[in-house]
Amino acid sequence: MFSKACEYGIRAAVYITLQSLDGRRVSVNEIAEEIDSPMAFTAKILQQLTKNNIVDSVKGPTGGFEIEREAMDTVKLSKIVKAIDGDKIYVGCGLGLKECNADKPCPLHDKFIDVRSNLRTMLQSTSLYELATGLEVGLTYLKR
Amino acid sequence: MFSKACEYGIRAAVYITLQSLDGRRVSVNEIAEEIDSPMAFTAKILQQLTKNNIVDSVKGPTGGFEIEREAMDTVKLSKIVKAIDGDKIYVGCGLGLKECNADKPCPLHDKFIDVRSNLRTMLQSTSLYELATGLEVGLTYLKR
DNA sequence: TTAATAAAGGATAAATTTATCCGAATTAAA
DNA sequence: TTTAATTCGGATAAATTTATCCTTTATTAA
């Protein structure tokens, strides 16, 4: 469904959100450990999240990644997915056709529209804050 | 969503179904042309479909691929997807966790279940016959 | 001002997916 | 029985994704 990079990206963003709720800035090192992801690769993905203004980064000692309280609400999963995987997951044809639309649909077009809009709606309506609070309460997990 | 191999596989299977409805057996060459896919790669994928008893193949002159009338109804997309991409698309965790279930869910678990079961239901209920008939009537397309 | 810490960025490697090529096996038709 | 058409299977190549390493840049604190 999502690329590995995107999975790591979402998990990292949720972890940063969780820690930012406590006012803690976190390093790549800590993030990779806590979400069980490869360190250097995670660093690359965090660069993308930073460039896309999804999280903030601070260099130097005591530096690390954080996210503003407001962004926790405004950043939806769709923004992260789009930044890392692009929007092909909503936009593209399920069977890989370049031209596939209501006028010239692939055989799966109509059935796929449902599934995809379901997914899109879910991603567009789920905020980082929402995901982090489940973690905070100990209801959900980011590792293993 | 699906791998390229799987996209080609579904398109190929639908095309074979369409032609088998007319009693025509089709070669890899024709299939690749008609679904606009790379020939040799398509041949590999057709081997998988054959091994999984999704389509039948016949060697030699006048040989090619075909599908039995009954299989057109009983083979659902889920079978093709499973044969090529495996079942991670239904079974796996959306965030890539190995252990993710109702007991120890990832933050996206509940929301993902909806999307995924939507997809699974669609794939499990859509037969090759159903997809081919749209093509036959000229309502849907397999190229471009 | 210096040393240490952390992200940024570039180069490269490993793994996987996508794709091609070619000889072997099978089979129908000439 | 030979020839040609076709799938099958193995080897390999190209492209993309995943992952690592190392140097540079920024910044804090001693």
Side-chain angles (χ1 to χ4, degrees):
Chain A
M1 188 77 87
F2 307 126
S3 69
K4 280 278 168 203
C6 194
E7 290 175 358
Y8 297 150
I10 294 174
R11 276 150 64 191
V14 173
Y15 182 73
I16 294 168
T17 302
L18 176 67
Q19 296 306 322
S20 285
L21 281 170
D22 285 350
R24 295 188 61 234
R25 201 180 271 161
V26 286
S27 68
V28 178
N29 220 299
E30 174 179 341
I31 294 169
E33 239 159 61
E34 291 301 320
I35 69 172
D36 194 30
S37 68
M39 228 259 280
F41 190 46
T42 305
K44 288 293 181 206
I45 297 160
L46 286 167
Q47 285 181 30
Q48 291 185 71
L49 296 185
T50 304
K51 275 185 199 153
N52 284 274
N53 298 309
I54 290 165
V55 301
D56 300 313
S57 73
V58 179
K59 282 185 180 179
T62 78
F65 294 87
E66 64 192 359
I67 178 168
E68 284 172 19
R69 180 63 190 80
E70 202 196 335
M72 296 180 191
D73 290 320
T74 56
V75 173
K76 314 292 185 187
L77 286 190
S78 52
K79 188 170 182 182
I80 299 179
V81 173
K82 189 166 186 179
I84 299 177
D85 280 350
D87 54 9
K88 64 179 178 320
I89 204 167
Y90 325 124
V91 174
C93 165
L95 297 187
L97 303 190
K98 281 174 203 92
E99 272 184 55
C100 172
N101 47 55
D103 274 353
K104 236 190 159 190
C106 80
L108 213 54
H109 188 75
D110 290 345
K111 291 174 174 243
F112 216 72
I113 277 187
D114 281 348
V115 173
R116 226 168 40 184
S117 81
N118 212 263
L119 175 63
R120 189 179 56 237
T121 301
M122 186 273 273
L123 294 177
Q124 285 177 345
S125 65
T126 304
S127 69
L128 286 175
Y129 180 80
E130 185 180 352
L131 295 181
T133 48
L135 277 177
E136 201 176 25
V137 182
L139 289 176
T140 62
Y141 302 83
L142 278 181
K143 260 177 146 176
R144 297 301 130 83
Chain B
M1 189 78 86
F2 307 125
S3 69
K4 280 279 169 201
C6 193
E7 290 174 359
Y8 298 149
I10 295 173
R11 275 150 65 191
V14 173
Y15 182 73
I16 294 167
T17 302
L18 176 66
Q19 295 306 321
S20 286
L21 281 170
D22 285 350
R24 295 188 59 234
R25 200 181 274 161
V26 286
S27 68
V28 179
N29 218 299
E30 175 179 341
I31 294 169
E33 237 159 60
E34 290 301 320
I35 70 172
D36 194 30
S37 68
M39 228 258 281
F41 190 46
T42 304
K44 288 292 182 208
I45 297 159
L46 287 167
Q47 285 182 30
Q48 291 186 69
L49 296 185
T50 304
K51 274 185 202 154
N52 283 274
N53 297 309
I54 291 165
V55 301
D56 299 314
S57 73
V58 179
K59 284 184 180 178
T62 78
F65 296 87
E66 63 194 358
I67 179 169
E68 282 171 21
R69 180 61 190 81
E70 202 196 335
M72 296 180 190
D73 290 320
T74 57
V75 173
K76 313 292 185 187
L77 287 189
S78 52
K79 187 169 185 182
I80 299 178
V81 172
K82 189 167 187 180
I84 299 178
D85 281 349
D87 54 9
K88 62 179 181 318
I89 205 167
Y90 326 124
V91 174
C93 165
L95 297 186
L97 303 190
K98 280 173 205 94
E99 271 184 57
C100 172
N101 48 56
D103 276 352
K104 237 190 159 190
C106 80
L108 213 53
H109 188 76
D110 290 345
K111 291 174 176 243
F112 216 73
I113 278 187
D114 281 349
V115 173
R116 228 170 37 184
S117 80
N118 212 262
L119 174 63
R120 190 180 54 237
T121 301
M122 187 271 274
L123 295 176
Q124 286 178 345
S125 66
T126 303
S127 69
L128 286 175
Y129 180 80
E130 185 181 352
L131 295 181
T133 47
L135 276 176
E136 201 177 26
V137 183
L139 289 175
T140 62
Y141 302 83
L142 278 181
K143 260 177 144 176
R144 297 300 130 83

